[in-house]
Amino acid sequence: MSWLGKVVGGAFGFMMGGPLGAILGASLGHQFDAGLSGLELDEKLSPGDQHRVQMVFFTATFSVMGHIAKADGKVTPAEIKLAKRIMDELALAGDMKKAAINLFQQGKEANFPIDDVLNQFRRECHRRTHLIRMFLEIQIQAAYADGVLDLSEEKVLHKICRHLGISRFEYERVKLGFQAQQRFYGHSQQLATKNMLDDAYEILGVSSSASDAEVKKAYRRLMSQHHPDKLVAKGLPEEMMKIAKEKTQQIRKAYETIKQQRK
């Protein structure tokens, strides 16, 4: 059973407080209230607990995604399509999908407490840098949903980085890596071209002059950062494991492209 199913079913003896708790509660409505009726707060489940972090990650991901979509004053069909595609890819259904849609809608509201949400997200994650990086990658993907990174959307991404302790250098590296992935998968899937190779190096975050050892080290570092089981252990909702798996497949394909060229 998913963490949300446990919450709705009343199996969790705690309620996530703060702005994220209020947002999640509103997204679930009466089911949330009924599911937690009569339950006592479990003090053992402190900030940083895996199940609690799963709730936080899910809530922050879809609500902040909605906030980014509305950052330029309008929500495009492409942005709505991306949100739905992510929900479909995660096989969200029933209460999970309803909650994700409602969270996205709440993020679009003018009074969405973005600063408070990000501050609580960082506290609950307890410096789990790989999890925070995954969150940033998803939001960058959301910002590029319509094919263009609008200035107002990038301002939100910069705000996310400030609140989560991500340096401008790291943000630019993650953004360039995402752009390279988009180009890499837009190329012909036949023999590797120079452009594909350039993008493969960008995905790994190394230059074409890097040694084989340096390329392999970068590959292993990225694979470790995106390892699905490790991320779930740190608080990534199991339903979102597919995103991590896709990331590792993209990283592996870029590495194999470089290896093939270097033989």
Side-chain angles (χ1 to χ4, degrees):
M1 183 185 294
S2 71
W3 61 265
L4 183 57
K6 293 176 182 177
V7 170
V8 173
F12 268 132
F14 75 98
M15 177 176 176
M16 178 177 63
L20 285 170
I23 291 169
L24 179 60
S27 74
L28 295 175
H30 297 299
Q31 288 182 319
F32 185 78
D33 296 332
L36 293 174
S37 176
L39 294 176
E40 298 179 357
L41 186 69
D42 189 342
E43 298 295 341
K44 293 183 293 184
L45 293 175
S46 59
D49 174 83
Q50 181 185 5
H51 295 304
R52 185 178 178 119
V53 174
Q54 287 178 333
M55 296 173 71
V56 166
F57 193 95
F58 183 88
T59 304
T61 292
F62 286 103
S63 60
V64 173
M65 189 184 297
H67 185 73
I68 289 178
K70 193 63 182 292
D72 59 359
K74 61 184 183 300
V75 181
T76 67
E79 289 165 332
I80 296 174
K81 184 177 180 180
L82 171 68
K84 290 183 177 179
R85 180 169 63 80
I86 291 177
M87 294 175 198
D88 290 340
E89 287 178 354
L90 299 177
L92 298 185
D95 293 323
M96 289 290 287
K97 189 167 187 177
K98 289 178 184 177
I101 293 172
N102 289 339
L103 289 169
F104 185 85
Q105 295 294 339
Q106 287 187 69
K108 290 161 48 181
E109 298 296 327
N111 61 349
F112 179 69
I114 181 68
D115 295 314
D116 295 335
V117 164
L118 292 172
N119 286 337
Q120 184 180 359
F121 178 75
R122 184 178 185 180
R123 287 197 307 273
E124 299 283 0
C125 283
H126 276 227
R127 298 187 298 278
R128 299 179 184 190
T129 55
H130 294 351
L131 199 63
I132 290 174
R133 180 190 172 102
M134 176 64 72
F135 177 82
L136 174 63
E137 290 177 353
I138 293 172
Q139 301 308 329
I140 288 177
Q141 182 180 0
Y144 273 99
D146 57 0
V148 179
L149 180 61
D150 186 88
L151 179 61
S152 57
E153 293 170 333
E154 184 148 49
K155 284 183 177 179
V156 177
L157 293 175
H158 287 165
K159 177 179 286 190
I160 289 173
C161 291
R162 287 197 302 272
H163 281 281
L164 301 186
I166 300 171
S167 69
R168 182 61 64 88
F169 173 80
E170 180 64 14
Y171 163 71
E172 292 295 336
R173 185 165 69 171
V174 173
K175 184 176 72 171
L176 289 173
F178 173 78
Q179 292 171 341
Q181 286 178 355
Q182 295 295 97
R183 293 191 301 267
F184 185 80
Y185 283 90
H187 292 307
S188 168
Q189 298 303 303
Q190 298 174 1
L191 220 51
T193 65
K194 182 181 185 302
N195 288 338
M196 281 189 72
L197 287 170
D198 289 343
D199 290 333
Y201 282 113
E202 190 70 64
I203 290 171
L204 297 189
V206 296
S207 69
S208 58
S209 62
S211 66
D212 290 349
E214 289 171 330
V215 171
K216 190 172 186 178
K217 182 179 179 181
Y219 165 71
R220 287 181 171 177
R221 174 178 56 81
L222 287 174
M223 290 295 285
S224 177
Q225 289 176 352
H226 295 86
H227 193 287
D229 292 333
K230 288 183 179 180
L231 285 170
V232 169
K234 291 180 180 295
L236 182 75
E238 292 183 11
E239 292 82 2
M240 303 184 80
M241 184 185 287
K242 186 173 181 179
I243 293 178
K245 288 181 178 178
E246 289 179 351
K247 291 287 184 182
T248 58
Q249 290 172 358
Q250 292 169 355
I251 294 165
R252 184 177 295 111
K253 184 167 184 179
Y255 180 58
E256 290 174 350
T257 297
I258 294 173
K259 282 205 308 178
Q260 181 180 0
Q261 185 270 340
R262 290 191 170 201
K263 284 183 179 179

